[in-house]
Amino acid sequence: MTEGAPTVSVITPTFNRADFIGETVESILAQTFGDFELLIVDDGSTDNTREILSPYLSDKRLRYFYQENQGQSVARNRGLTESRGQFLCFIDSDNVWLPNKLESQLNFLREHPEVDIVYGDIITIDETSKEIGRENMRRFSGHIAGDLLRDNFVSINTSMVRRHCYTELGGFNEKDRLAEDYELWLRYSTRFKFHYMPEYFAKYRVMDDQISSDKSARFWANERTLRLFLEAYPTAVDWKTQRKGWSTFFARKARYLAGQRSVTKALLTSLQSLAQWPFHSTGWRALFRVFFPGLKDVR
């Protein structure tokens, strides 16, 4: 690390988020731990993002980079390349951190040198910053490669990563525009230890124009990411864990398709789930949902 480098590097990619990026920056500057740098990578915004950020540029902790539009993964990698901190964090330009995010996670990592990556829970908000809910998916700690096969439960906006993870295994896949964080966590899970902290660290904004809001595209991207991961790391998880992971993935997809009234696709996908692991109740519950979409799952 260079002399005088900050403890934490915070990386924020942005594209046409002038309406929200001010709130994002304010939440970072309001952190109870202040030894950080904030690297904002503007991925070709055509709105008044630069104007909104101008008042904050007097803070020497904030560094602003502009590039032609190349995608979020490229912007995040630019931030990683420019970063100097021992610990790395990410927050998108429409989300918000809670004030103790950095301090709480740093304290944990300093007390637990065996842990490489920490993350936590989110509060969902809408476009007006009104809270929608606090319900979160089940999350896991340890060597989580097998757990990640079922779903991406590591919220990138709540994560803190030791720099050596990036140094040893690299950053984001720049060819991937829909599941780049999922691919990163899968790759990191082959070597590094994760820890879930059951605390709310970020507010996640839900909007219609978000890439991640297109669930059909996200399922397609996640399936592709999983297949490429297992091809590249065939020994990362054992055969049984792979089959169970695929079973759960296809069951989730089938339930989504059933909810969209795509009955034929939902039926075929639920059968894919059962073919992977017929002894798992998840696949049978998905099949039940196809035929009885208005009823709760039988457990």
Side-chain angles (χ1 to χ4, degrees):
M1 302 303 299
T2 58
E3 186 177 352
T7 302
V8 180
S9 292
V10 181
I11 297 166
T12 298
T14 189
F15 176 71
N16 289 346
R17 282 291 185 258
D19 290 343
F20 307 108
I21 195 168
E23 187 178 359
T24 301
V25 172
E26 291 283 357
S27 76
I28 299 168
L29 298 180
Q31 289 295 299
T32 56
F33 178 84
D35 184 23
F36 62 81
E37 63 176 351
L38 169 58
L39 301 97
I40 298 178
V41 182
D42 189 337
D43 192 38
S45 292
T46 57
D47 61 7
N48 62 328
T49 290
R50 191 191 298 264
E51 179 183 345
I52 295 295
L53 291 173
S54 180
Y56 301 105
L57 296 179
S58 59
D59 191 320
K60 294 182 179 179
R61 295 175 296 178
L62 196 152
R63 302 164 64 195
Y64 174 79
F65 305 90
Y66 182 89
Q67 64 183 30
E68 295 301 316
N69 183 260
Q70 300 174 66
Q72 186 168 247
S73 55
V74 176
R76 281 176 174 157
N77 280 344
R78 172 73 183 277
L80 285 169
T81 299
E82 299 285 351
S83 68
R84 300 170 295 160
Q86 180 184 358
F87 300 91
L88 306 170
C89 293
F90 306 91
I91 180 170
D92 295 337
S93 58
D94 49 12
N95 296 322
V96 178
W97 273 351
L98 274 66
N100 69 328
K101 194 268 185 190
L102 293 182
E103 182 176 13
S104 180
Q105 293 185 328
L106 269 173
N107 288 341
F108 184 90
L109 285 173
R110 285 169 170 167
E111 293 171 2
H112 298 273
E114 76 281 3
V115 174
D116 303 290
I117 300 161
V118 293
Y119 70 104
D121 288 326
I122 59 170
I123 300 169
T124 306
I125 59 175
D126 64 14
E127 293 191 34
T128 67
S129 298
K130 179 182 178 181
E131 182 175 327
I132 299 174
R134 298 193 175 210
E135 184 177 354
N136 280 257
M137 65 177 64
R138 185 182 180 188
R139 307 188 193 275
F140 299 86
S141 297
H143 297 284
I144 61 172
D147 300 307
L148 278 172
L149 296 183
R150 298 194 289 270
D151 198 358
N152 178 19
F153 49 79
V154 180
S155 169
I156 191 168
N157 289 279
T158 70
S159 65
M160 179 176 283
V161 181
R162 294 188 190 273
R163 172 169 286 275
H164 75 85
C165 299
Y166 165 61
T167 303
E168 294 175 29
L169 288 185
F172 296 89
N173 181 355
E174 296 186 357
K175 296 180 180 179
D176 196 339
R177 285 178 173 248
L178 284 175
E180 69 268 20
D181 57 328
Y182 195 13
E183 190 278 334
L184 184 79
W185 301 140
L186 283 164
R187 186 163 18 108
Y188 281 9
S189 73
T190 63
R191 187 179 302 180
F192 306 124
K193 188 174 182 179
F194 289 67
H195 182 81
Y196 162 56
M197 300 178 66
E199 300 178 39
Y200 293 104
F201 289 126
K203 297 180 180 179
Y204 179 77
R205 197 181 305 274
V206 177
M207 296 183 292
D208 291 337
D209 65 340
Q210 288 172 308
I211 293 176
S212 59
S213 67
D214 186 341
K215 289 188 177 182
S216 296
R218 187 169 60 182
F219 271 117
W220 176 86
N222 286 354
E223 183 174 347
R224 177 178 178 274
T225 296
L226 285 172
R227 293 191 186 282
L228 291 174
F229 168 71
L230 292 172
E231 288 176 9
Y233 300 91
T235 61
V237 294
D238 60 55
W239 174 84
K240 183 177 180 180
T241 302
Q242 285 190 34
R243 297 292 291 268
K244 285 185 174 181
W246 277 121
S247 177
T248 302
F249 174 83
F250 287 127
R252 288 194 304 107
K253 185 178 179 181
R255 289 196 298 271
Y256 164 73
L257 291 169
Q260 298 298 305
R261 299 297 188 265
S262 298
V263 177
T264 301
K265 290 182 179 179
L267 176 59
L268 293 174
T269 306
S270 62
L271 293 176
Q272 280 184 286
S273 173
L274 291 170
Q276 290 290 334
W277 199 254
F279 313 105
H280 200 224
S281 62
T282 302
W284 292 105
R285 293 203 303 270
L287 188 62
F288 179 87
R289 179 70 64 84
V290 173
F291 292 107
F292 305 99
L295 299 178
K296 293 183 179 180
D297 292 340
V298 176
R299 296 180 182 273

